[in-house]
Amino acid sequence: MGLCLSAQASAFGLEDVIARAETLAAEPYQAPDPIPGFMQNLGYDEFRSIRFDPAQQLWSPSRTRFQVMLVPAGRTYRHPVRINIVDAEGVHLLPFRKELFSFGDEALRKKVPADLGYAGFKLTYPINKAGVQDQFLVFAGASYFRGVGAGDHFGLSKRGLALDTGLLSGEEFPIFREFWLIRPHPQASSMKVYGLLDSKRVTGAYEFTIHPGQPTRVEINSTLFTRERIELLGIAPLTSMFFYGENTARPLGNWRPEVHDSDGLLIHDGSGEWSWRPLINPTRLQTFSFSTRNVRGFGLFQRDGSFASYQDPEADYERRPDAWVRTREDWGDGRIVLVQIPTSDETNDNIVAFWSPPNTVAGGKRFDFRYEIDLGRLVSLDHPLARVQHTFVGLGDILGGGDVENAYRLIADFQGGPLEGLAADAPVTADVTAMLGGRVLEQYVEYVEQNGHWRLSILAMPAEGKPLELRAYLKRDATPLSETWTYTLPTENDIKGNGK
């Protein structure tokens, strides 16, 4: 089904936004005008009381399958963005209309300026039930956007770009300062959105082609223009939350077994290797780089989809979506960067993952990136190997762990792929490597009949004063059977009790 209603609408495209981004990059950076101070200082409940009227969604009179709810500026959304509609009448700015919102506080309603502006928008679509408009994709705040597949609960976020994330010099947050929404045909199953990104050191033009479903797929074409040198350029960044899980100690006083939006980072390198890194909540900022050549994909996943692992019917952590970034061209040499930031609760997004070129990026350069992101619990991967299902970590000198002081017992459970159908006594072994001077004291593989998993058990000791860094995969003879499991346990950690 066509995306647009007219030749005028289709005449506007990515090249128009690229031209704007290139012109903007040649000019000195100008920060957007902030909203009034009292709107920035609204409390959480005050801002939440400002609600868009769903009956006023854009395009609802025409019963189009795609409709739009608007997000008011306020609280952390401190700068309004321009939102344009591209339709049969051409391109026109969407003016702010105060009457589209209800206010829990009449005094606040009177104070809100008539020209406050929008912080972003929410796309709705009958993604779960015919005739029912459900929110499935939200663009609001800096360059953030969040999406779900059918039946999912909102969780991790995506960003247009990350700059110097995890560096001691501090992070710069680019913003989408203008959007163009291409009005789709009433029965269209996909639509386009364009965004103009801007920050002190870079501008960008983005084309989003959006396909709601399970999973929801967003195809992205982007062109970047650098104004100044960038130390760490983050492409296709993903942001999530990991408070604690099966591989960590439960913080004192917390009753739920696990609390996280994502539990691991998956990488598919151009070499064909699939690697899985379970997430942690460190006591200090941690940044890891995984070298890649022509990376094919990477993503943050919530592999544990069992309610029993979370026991939280309100948060629905078992329904949080995965996000898989699939490259659509050769990105060459680079690295997947994983940033893990300490957090004391579940309200902070403390996990960031992105692709970055191997070196710093100079000013005055143009870059083009094409990729797509799958969002949902049923992301389809061309993954032929067994997958890590669980990671457990304990001390290596207690009952069930071992009898070696200062050692750790690590368990990785694998399932699927070529392990399916193997006899319990099949000769499955493991290749285990310790880095940074660590030692593998013991390792063995066994079939666990109770859950149908193949379990790798490792007793390992870190070098004095260094983290324990391990890498392992299952094999039969010389043939790999599983993705590669990697793990880094910091010197200060909650397993030994010298962390948080």
Side-chain angles (χ1 to χ4, degrees), residues 20 27 29 104 130 158 195 199 204 226 235 254 260-261 282 286 365 389 394 491:
R20 291 173 185 247
E27 302 171 351
Y29 172 70
K158 282 61 63 184
S199 76
T226 60
I235 304 300
N254 284 273
H260 48 74
D261 286 337
Q286 289 190 334
K365 300 293 184 179
Q389 297 298 323
T491 53

Side-chain angles (χ1 to χ4, degrees), residues 120 203 391 424 442 479 497:
T203 68
T391 297
E442 171 188 289
T479 303

Side-chain angles (χ1 to χ4, degrees), residues 282-302:
T283 59
R284 298 181 182 179
L285 174 70
Q286 289 190 334
T287 301
F288 296 98
S289 292
F290 305 89
S291 295
T292 62
R293 167 63 187 166
N294 185 22
V295 64
R296 299 178 186 178
F298 68 94
L300 293 175
F301 282 72
Q302 184 78 314

Side-chain angles (χ1 to χ4, degrees), residues 38 150 228 270 311 352 378 463:
F38 81 92
E228 301 177 14
Q311 295 291 341
V352 187
L378 297 177

